[in-house]
């Protein structure tokens, strides 16, 4: 739920963030419904998908050396840091080599990882992040601290709500890795060109926030993944 304005971090209590805060403050019921849905749905999905979790875990372990899960520090609601969970899709000795942004044809990605990323199955462990309250099904994708430090004052408004597994920006930028494929400085191009575009969609989603709108985003994400996978 939203904190009181006076309890927000200093860097969020700005004139650029205030309009978004005031809009969300009027959506208290929808925010409660959102959290309730996130908690119940993620527990149910985790239970029913347990065989899938086991199967993917075995596959990742057999495909390449290293742990099954990948953990990385990201930023969520109110600038709080947490460890995002994913199935490991990169060679264990290359995960921390190179850029924070993955591009098409990235040589660090394993064979199993290519398939998991194609169908976004690598993100299934984020159900645990949702249960813990670190994330939501729908919301701004969590960035690493280094990228968050380069947010504009208005972009900080996206930290009013928990980070999400998917979003309108995720759908629109589903081919993000291909957009960055030929960039000489991938991280710089991401921050200067890709991130601002994604944030426009994220901020628009905050301005138009409603639980039903988020349900629509989840449904559209499923179709977007399916279409991308079978192109």
């Amino acid at each position: 739920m939203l904190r009181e304005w006076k309890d927000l971090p200093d860097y969020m209590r700005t004139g650029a963030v205030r309009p978004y805060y005031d809009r969300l403050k009027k959506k208290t019921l929808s925010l409660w419904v959102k959290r309730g849905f996130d908690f119940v749905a993620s527990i149910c999905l985790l239970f029913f998908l347990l065989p899938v979790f086991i199967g993917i875990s075995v596959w990742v372990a057999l495909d390449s050396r290293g742990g099954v899960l990948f953990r990385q520090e990201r930023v969520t609601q109110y600038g709080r840091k947490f460890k995002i969970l994913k199935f490991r899709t990169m060679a264990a000795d290359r995960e921390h080599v190179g850029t924070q942004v993955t591009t098409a044809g990235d040589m660090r990605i394993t064979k199993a990882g290519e398939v998991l990323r194609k169908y976004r199955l690598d993100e299934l462990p984020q159900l645990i992040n949702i249960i813990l309250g670190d994330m939501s099904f729908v919301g701004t994708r969590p960035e690493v601290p280094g990228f968050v430090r380069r947010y504009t004052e208005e972009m900080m408004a996206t930290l009013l709500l928990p980070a999400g597994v998917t979003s309108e920006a995720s759908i629109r930028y589903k081919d993000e890795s291909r957009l960055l494929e030929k960039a000489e400085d991938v991280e710089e191009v991401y921050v200067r060109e890709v991130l601002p575009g994604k944030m426009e969609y994220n901020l628009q989603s905050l301005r138009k926030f409603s639980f039903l709108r988020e349900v629509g985003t989840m449904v559209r994400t499923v179709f977007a993944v399916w279409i991308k996978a079978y192109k």
Side-chain angles (χ1 to χ4, degrees), residues 10-182:
D10 291 342
Y11 58 84
M12 292 183 66
R13 285 190 281 114
T14 65
V17 173
R18 188 65 195 240
Y20 295 94
Y21 176 87
D22 289 340
R23 286 190 181 92
L24 291 174
K25 196 66 175 176
K26 298 176 182 177
K27 302 282 187 175
T28 300
L29 179 58
S30 292
L31 291 174
W32 275 109
V33 172
K34 171 184 172 71
R35 177 54 189 157
F37 173 83
D38 283 343
F39 186 74
V40 174
S42 54
I43 288 179
C44 292
L45 284 172
L46 194 59
F47 176 78
F48 286 113
L49 293 175
L50 187 58
V52 177
F53 270 74
I54 295 173
I56 292 177
S57 297
V58 172
W59 185 23
V60 171
L62 293 177
D63 181 62
S64 62
R65 296 175 61 183
V68 170
L69 293 178
F70 169 72
R71 301 172 180 83
Q72 187 181 54
E73 187 174 73
R74 299 288 180 93
V75 179
T76 188
Q77 192 175 31
Y78 308 129
R80 182 170 60 85
K81 296 176 182 178
F82 75 104
K83 294 289 186 179
I84 194 172
L85 300 175
K86 295 185 179 185
F87 282 118
R88 181 174 58 82
T89 59
M90 292 186 180
D93 59 346
R94 296 183 181 181
E95 288 178 345
H96 305 291
V97 177
T99 69
Q100 299 276 8
V101 182
T102 307
T103 61
D106 196 313
M107 298 302 292
R108 296 173 295 176
I109 299 175
T110 64
K111 292 181 179 179
E114 289 182 6
V115 178
L116 294 178
R117 283 172 175 264
K118 182 178 181 179
Y119 297 99
R120 293 190 66 174
L121 294 173
D122 59 313
E123 297 182 5
L124 285 178
Q126 288 165 42
L127 289 171
I128 298 172
N129 289 127
I130 295 175
I131 293 171
L132 294 175
D134 294 328
M135 295 182 68
S136 174
F137 279 106
V138 179
T140 300
R141 286 295 295 167
E143 298 286 0
V144 296
F147 290 161
V148 174
R149 285 193 288 270
R150 300 183 66 175
Y151 278 10
T152 65
E153 284 191 359
E154 188 178 17
M155 289 177 184
M156 290 296 178
T158 60
L159 300 179
L160 288 169
L161 297 180
V165 175
T166 190
S167 65
E168 180 66 26
S170 298
I171 297 172
R172 300 278 185 167
Y173 282 81
K174 62 182 183 296
D175 295 319
E176 175 186 311
S177 61
R178 296 196 178 280
L179 294 175
L180 297 168
E181 187 176 4
K182 297 181 180 179

Side-chain angles (χ1 to χ4, degrees), residues 206-224:
L206 285 182
R207 290 191 291 268
K208 298 181 178 181
F209 171 79
S210 74
F211 177 67
L212 289 179
R213 183 181 174 85
E214 294 205 341
V215 172
T217 298
M218 285 186 275
V219 173
R220 291 177 56 239
T221 296
V222 173
F223 281 104

